[in-house]
Amino acid sequence: MVRENRQRPPFRAEHMGSLLRPQKLSEKRVELDGKDAITITQDKELRALEDEAIDDIVKLQVDLNYHPVTDGEYRRHQFWGTFFPGLEGFEEIPDPPLDMFRLYVPDLAAFTEAGHKPGESIVCTGKIKHKGSTYLDQWNYLTSKLPANLVSSAKLTLPAPEWYHLRYKPGHAYPTSVYPNDEAYFADIAAAYREELHTLYLAGCRNVTIDDPNLAYFCSEKMLQGFKEHGEDSEALLDSYIKLYNDCISRRPADLHVGIHLCRGNFAYSRHFSEGGYDRVAKKLFNDIDADTYFLEYDTERAGGFEPLVHLPATKNVIVGVITSKFPELEDIDEMKKRVYEAADWVAKGAGQTREEALKRMGVSPQCGFASHHLGNSVTREDMINKLKLVRELADQIWPGEP
């Protein structure tokens, strides 16, 4: 469906959702390593530490004048949380065999090349069904700590619907006795997402962002070469993921904002996984997926130039992640303003607009979260606060008086 351009959300100053955990919280999660994802969420001591930390981080965001407030993803081990293990039909494999993985997918390649096993591996073992939201409790606690005027702008992040598909070789994401093909498997994934969004919407959620490094991986020459060497059609797979996205989100209510965040990996201690500009995917990404806003990594040359933004339709928004969350050094604000204006010129060119008109559909942010993994990036809390202040100041200089 064709949607009108919408604002607030998104906002001029954004962040991606995850924020540095207090040391006590990370230490407790390390203690619980080895337990499955759902069991960890039920630990009472961990819950108390999460509550205390969320209370503090919500206040910090409000004090810094951020409107899309999150809970810092403090109830999650990694950014994707517990959506998939919370579905009927999925199980966690504690020691998965390497031959089930596409080892040319960037994060899997990085893990295995370093001698580590792939991270949390959840696979479909039976018919998929939504049996209750594992995020609803997170959302309710967050909004209970917010002033009433910030509830509708508060943000919840969700995992990519293809998260536990791209990583597995054909024939390993689900049993063929349950699903004869990807189309049938994706249909039930989409049904579960629609139910999740409906549940969150009824609880007052109007602002979600789907975190999806997988889509950015389709910009990686190394991964595309891996597909080619294994006789797989990466373009057809990308097309199937775009259809999956639309089956998940296109029936949402008109006042539910959906963003998609792309980055090239943001593992513990500031590690990235892939490189490559958006040129390969921009046209399909911006035009074929029924999302409102794209949150794009743009803090280093890894992401290429702003030229692909020429494909952004006039009905959609882009948040340019020109500030890095990976390292403590502060960017020069005048240089960042120049970069945002350069991006705006490409957005304007594609839509036949002026720079000023294009800027009305833009905002700024860090390129990714500060703690996509609970151990966090190679920055301190003070560094993180300084980065968030810089994003806010950059937004205030470009869009004075706007949230």
Side-chain angles (χ1 to χ4, degrees):
M1 64 180 291
V2 177
R3 297 177 186 270
E4 295 181 359
N5 179 257
R6 60 165 298 154
Q7 297 291 317
R8 298 179 186 161
F11 296 88
R12 304 306 182 202
E14 291 268 356
H15 69 81
M16 292 306 97
S18 70
L19 298 164
L20 282 181
R21 275 76 159 167
Q23 186 175 348
K24 288 189 299 183
L25 181 53
S26 279
E27 287 175 349
K28 180 60 183 177
R29 281 203 168 272
V30 170
E31 280 181 32
L32 296 169
D33 273 355
K35 296 182 182 294
D36 68 81
I38 297 298
T39 299
I40 290 173
T41 65
Q42 297 167 348
D43 187 274
K44 291 182 179 179
E45 184 181 345
L46 177 67
R47 175 74 186 208
L49 290 170
E50 290 169 346
D51 288 353
E52 180 183 352
I54 291 168
D55 294 353
D56 176 69
I57 205 64
V58 167
K59 182 179 185 304
L60 173 66
Q61 293 169 81
V62 173
D63 290 346
L64 292 177
N65 197 26
Y66 275 81
H67 285 249
V69 176
T70 75
D71 65 358
E73 299 179 2
Y74 283 0
R75 300 203 195 278
R76 307 182 189 187
H77 181 79
Q78 299 195 57
F79 68 88
W80 56 80
T82 51
F83 174 74
F84 284 98
L87 296 176
E88 186 176 307
F90 275 93
E91 292 183 15
E92 184 171 350
I93 302 176
D95 192 19
L98 282 182
D99 63 4
M100 70 182 291
F101 295 99
R102 288 181 170 121
L103 296 180
Y104 41 92
V105 170
D107 56 315
L108 296 171
F111 280 124
T112 54
E113 286 167 9
H116 301 297
K117 67 179 183 180
E120 181 184 81
S121 296
I122 310 290
V123 296
C124 171
T125 56
K127 191 74 171 168
I128 297 165
K129 185 178 179 182
H130 191 275
K131 58 179 182 178
S133 173
T134 60
Y135 297 130
L136 183 59
D137 183 55
Q138 297 175 23
W139 170 256
N140 287 337
Y141 189 87
L142 167 63
T143 55
S144 75
K145 301 299 175 179
L146 284 172
N149 66 310
L150 291 181
V151 170
S152 63
S153 60
K155 178 160 65 177
L156 191 75
T157 57
L158 298 174
E162 82 284 13
W163 186 248
Y164 284 114
H165 185 271
L166 177 66
R167 62 197 287 114
Y168 302 130
K169 289 179 181 177
H172 290 274
Y174 52 84
T176 54
S177 59
V178 178
Y179 293 108
N181 51 41
D182 282 354
E183 186 177 5
Y185 169 77
F186 289 156
D188 278 357
I189 292 286
Y193 264 80
R194 291 194 299 270
E195 186 63 32
E196 181 71 29
L197 290 173
H198 178 67
T199 300
L200 294 170
Y201 184 85
L202 292 179
C205 182
R206 297 295 183 271
N207 185 15
V208 300
T209 295
I210 298 173
D211 284 316
D212 196 347
N214 283 353
L215 290 179
Y217 290 167
F218 282 88
C219 305
S220 165
E221 291 290 346
K222 287 178 69 175
M223 187 184 85
L224 298 179
Q225 183 61 33
F227 271 99
K228 192 176 295 183
E229 290 173 358
H230 287 79
E232 295 187 72
D233 186 342
S234 60
E235 203 64 27
L237 186 63
L238 176 60
D239 289 342
S240 74
Y241 289 164
I242 289 171
K243 182 181 184 302
L244 169 60
Y245 256 98
N246 288 333
D247 288 345
C248 290
I249 66 177
S250 62
R251 302 183 211 175
R252 70 188 183 277
D255 61 341
L256 176 58
H257 170 264
V258 171
I260 298 177
H261 167 228
L262 279 73
C263 80
R264 287 149 185 80
N266 192 48
F267 195 61
Y269 311 120
S270 303
R271 181 165 189 176
H272 76 278
F273 295 128
S274 72
E275 300 180 1
Y278 297 101
D279 314 66
R280 284 188 168 276
V281 300
K283 206 166 186 178
K284 290 182 178 182
L285 177 71
F286 299 149
N287 289 276
D288 296 349
I289 299 181
D290 184 25
D292 297 299
T293 303
Y294 298 89
F295 297 81
L296 302 181
E297 172 184 346
Y298 266 120
D299 62 326
T300 69
E301 293 179 356
R302 279 196 302 272
F306 294 120
E307 292 86 348
L309 296 179
V310 76
H311 297 294
L312 187 76
T315 55
K316 296 188 177 185
N317 311 298
V318 63
I319 308 300
V320 286
V322 294
I323 306 296
T324 190
S325 66
K326 291 184 184 292
F327 304 108
E329 293 77 19
L330 289 175
E331 290 83 353
D332 179 271
I333 195 165
D334 291 327
E335 287 300 314
M336 294 303 101
K337 283 170 67 176
K338 289 179 185 176
R339 297 203 71 211
V340 174
Y341 291 142
E342 181 188 351
D345 288 342
W346 284 105
V347 172
K349 181 179 180 180
Q353 296 178 326
T354 64
R355 174 191 285 182
E356 290 68 29
E357 289 171 329
L359 284 168
K360 292 177 182 178
R361 299 188 286 119
M362 296 178 63
V364 292
S365 70
Q367 96 295 346
C368 198
F370 289 89
S372 301
H373 184 282
H374 77 90
L375 292 174
N377 288 354
S378 297
V379 294
T380 65
R381 178 182 169 89
E382 183 180 359
D383 295 332
M384 177 183 73
I385 292 172
N386 288 337
K387 291 282 184 170
L388 291 171
K389 286 180 176 178
L390 179 60
V391 169
R392 182 70 264 178
E393 183 181 356
L394 178 60
D396 289 342
Q397 289 194 20
I398 297 173
W399 301 278
E402 296 190 37

